[in-house]
Amino acid sequence: MTLNALFDGAGKPAEAAAYEREVEAETIRLRRDFHRHPETMFGVDRTAAEVAKQLIAYGLEVEQGVGKHFGKGVVATLRGSRPGRTVLLRADMDALPIQEQNEAPYRSASDGVMHACGHDAHMAMLLGAANMLSRYRGELAGTVKFAFQPAEEGALPIEDGSMVSGGRDMIEDGLLDDVDLCFALHVWPELPLGTVGVHRAYAMAASTHFRVAFQGVSGHHGTPHLAVDALLMAAQFVTEMKVAMASEINPLEPGVLSFGTLRAGTALNAIAENSEITGSYRVFEEETVLRVRDAIVRRSSAIAASFGGGSEARFRLGTALKNDPRAAQLALTAGTAVFGAERALALEQPSLAGEDFALYLKKVPGAFAFLGSGTPACKQPLHHPNFDIDERMLLAGAKLHVRFVLEAMASNDVQER
């Protein structure tokens, strides 16, 4: 049996069908284990250890502790029998600080944490692909790298004050130094199960995370003139930034700014000495990313000064996810091989959601695909406490990764670095 036999449709050999059932059962088991034991941001020690264990079992070269600053990534290398391109496939490992409301037997065992964005499925599908590709490595002309990254959902500060995500951490550790093409996918409930969608250019917005802290002077509610109200500064900042988005950004360019958290004060009858507000904004052009950043710094500083207080702003600047058009065509060809031509969709409208994989595509040609996961039973959006997937998609996602590799290794359409 050859690797291509897995894509023969209804006429595939019995051996291939049996092997598919074996891989599918394994991906379901892994996905449920990851779902039951979610971990957030860079705190993915258990998850990374399980991923590494599986990759080692497949006979791959495995490097743990990848990342210049936090060192929590896992990278496995598979060398084919002949020289050729190096293709990287990526999955994200981190969950979200959300309390799960599902009652499935594999529901999260950690209070306040769940895989509400499908990263459990992403890991299981990429491990399934590693399983299949390692079994048929003799058919490969080139090298495959399997990257499992932490902290796709956010970033943490380092010594210089900048915010570092998992993708940046691994890229700065040399992850992409020898890579010619890269691919990733994301489960997407807005598309029906059994489809894949790929954009030929912009796919997702530059999602910038910001954190603004105000410093004031605490005081009694009966003597507000002797205090500097940090909570009031934060409240005014909310209004000012909504005005900025309406008046300083080109109205023909998509863009949105929203706030996520506000922390201030320690007592009901005391004026808050400190406040902190966090949020994100999503635009597409790099110039606009910087324009909104400057507006946040300028307006928070002016508000603080007008109250007689201080302010500090920190950012994880976003990068828009833009597919290489030729790599996007390879991804669509791969989707056709897995799902059929009518279910491999060239998407036009980009999403205002953000994705850390944008940093990969800024360095190396590649494409990001949306794997349809929408069914009547699994219709909740990403980041919802009832989010779940139909596990029938896991084998298809693993095969899509495999096909990314086969198309990339066979094609000369995409210029290597």
Side-chain angles (χ1 to χ4, degrees):
M1 188 184 88
T2 66
L3 187 56
N4 276 315
L6 299 175
F7 301 92
D8 285 346
K12 67 169 57 90
E15 182 185 357
Y19 179 57
E20 278 191 356
R21 290 193 295 272
E22 176 186 322
V23 173
E24 183 174 36
E26 179 71 356
T27 58
I28 291 173
R29 182 192 70 79
L30 288 167
R31 183 259 166 170
R32 292 185 177 188
D33 179 73
F34 293 139
H35 193 92
R36 183 159 175 76
H37 302 284
E39 297 174 300
T40 61
M41 292 292 288
F42 288 100
V44 292
D45 291 348
R46 182 198 181 276
T47 304
E50 181 64 25
V51 165
K53 182 178 79 172
Q54 293 298 322
L55 294 168
I56 292 169
Y58 302 148
L60 305 184
E61 304 168 26
V62 178
E63 182 181 2
Q64 301 180 64
V66 180
K68 181 178 179 180
H69 306 283
F70 297 97
K72 295 300 179 75
V74 180
V75 180
T77 302
L78 172 63
R79 304 184 193 281
S81 61
R82 304 183 304 282
R85 287 175 165 169
T86 296
V87 181
L88 180 139
L89 305 173
R90 173 275 216 168
D92 28 22
M93 298 189 288
D94 56 322
L96 286 158
I98 294 174
Q99 179 66 46
E100 182 161 15
Q101 295 179 6
N102 291 313
E103 294 299 331
Y106 51 81
R107 73 186 304 273
S108 173
S110 301
D111 285 342
V113 184
M114 75 169 287
H115 273 292
C117 200
H119 296 186
D120 51 340
H122 299 170
M123 289 184 282
M125 290 186 287
L126 188 52
L127 287 170
N131 184 345
M132 288 186 273
L133 288 166
S134 64
R135 176 165 173 162
Y136 297 99
R137 71 181 72 201
E139 300 179 28
L140 301 180
T143 299
V144 186
K145 293 178 74 171
F146 304 88
F148 294 79
Q149 76 154 78
E152 191 282 321
E153 296 288 355
L156 291 177
I158 57 175
E159 292 79 5
D160 66 4
S162 63
M163 304 288 283
V164 174
S165 66
R168 176 182 161 187
D169 199 36
M170 294 179 70
I171 290 169
E172 289 186 356
D173 202 18
L175 174 65
L176 299 177
D177 288 354
D178 58 349
V179 173
D180 298 307
L181 283 161
C182 60
F183 296 90
L185 55 79
H186 202 300
V187 300
W188 207 246
E190 296 175 27
L191 293 175
L193 184 72
T195 64
V196 62
V198 182
H199 296 79
R200 298 187 186 277
Y202 282 114
M204 302 182 87
S207 175
T208 294
H209 297 186
F210 62 85
R211 183 183 305 270
V212 178
F214 292 99
Q215 299 85 42
V217 177
S218 185
H220 194 281
H221 279 187
T223 55
H225 59 294
L226 301 178
V228 176
D229 194 333
L231 193 157
L232 194 53
M233 285 188 249
Q236 185 168 329
F237 176 70
V238 170
T239 302
E240 283 288 316
M241 282 314 303
K242 290 297 186 178
V243 171
M245 292 299 292
S247 61
E248 297 189 31
I249 306 304
N250 183 345
L252 298 179
E253 180 182 347
V256 63
L257 180 147
S258 299
F259 297 97
T261 66
L262 170 61
R263 299 182 179 89
T266 59
L268 177 149
N269 56 352
I271 289 173
E273 181 178 15
N274 298 291
S275 65
E276 180 185 81
I277 189 164
T278 66
S280 71
Y281 62 89
R282 292 120 193 285
V283 295
F284 287 91
E285 301 300 329
E286 186 173 352
E287 178 184 353
T288 310
V289 172
L290 300 179
R291 183 187 291 271
V292 179
R293 178 203 63 183
D294 292 346
I296 289 174
V297 172
R298 187 176 65 253
R299 293 193 180 227
S300 62
S301 178
I303 290 168
S306 71
F307 278 80
S311 68
E312 179 187 42
R314 286 187 171 185
F315 300 87
R316 186 208 75 175
L317 293 180
T319 300
L321 193 156
K322 188 176 183 181
N323 288 336
D324 177 275
R326 290 165 293 187
Q329 183 56 53
L330 292 182
L332 284 167
T333 302
T336 297
V338 176
F339 299 106
E342 71 285 355
R343 301 181 74 78
L345 312 173
L347 303 178
E348 299 294 335
Q349 185 66 42
S351 168
L352 278 168
E355 232 303 332
D356 202 21
F357 195 66
L359 299 174
Y360 296 68
L361 295 179
K362 197 169 184 180
K363 296 277 188 182
V364 174
F368 188 83
F370 295 94
L371 185 61
S373 62
T375 69
C378 300
K379 58 185 178 181
Q380 297 297 347
L382 300 173
H383 295 206
H384 191 280
N386 286 119
F387 177 78
D388 202 354
I389 65 162
D390 186 317
E391 291 176 329
R392 289 176 296 175
M393 72 186 304
L394 294 173
L395 178 63
K399 291 173 68 175
L400 184 60
H401 273 305
V402 169
R403 203 71 204 192
F404 287 158
V405 170
L406 296 180
E407 298 299 335
M409 288 184 171
S411 174
N412 296 315
D413 289 343
V414 181
Q415 184 177 357
E416 298 173 8
R417 295 187 305 155

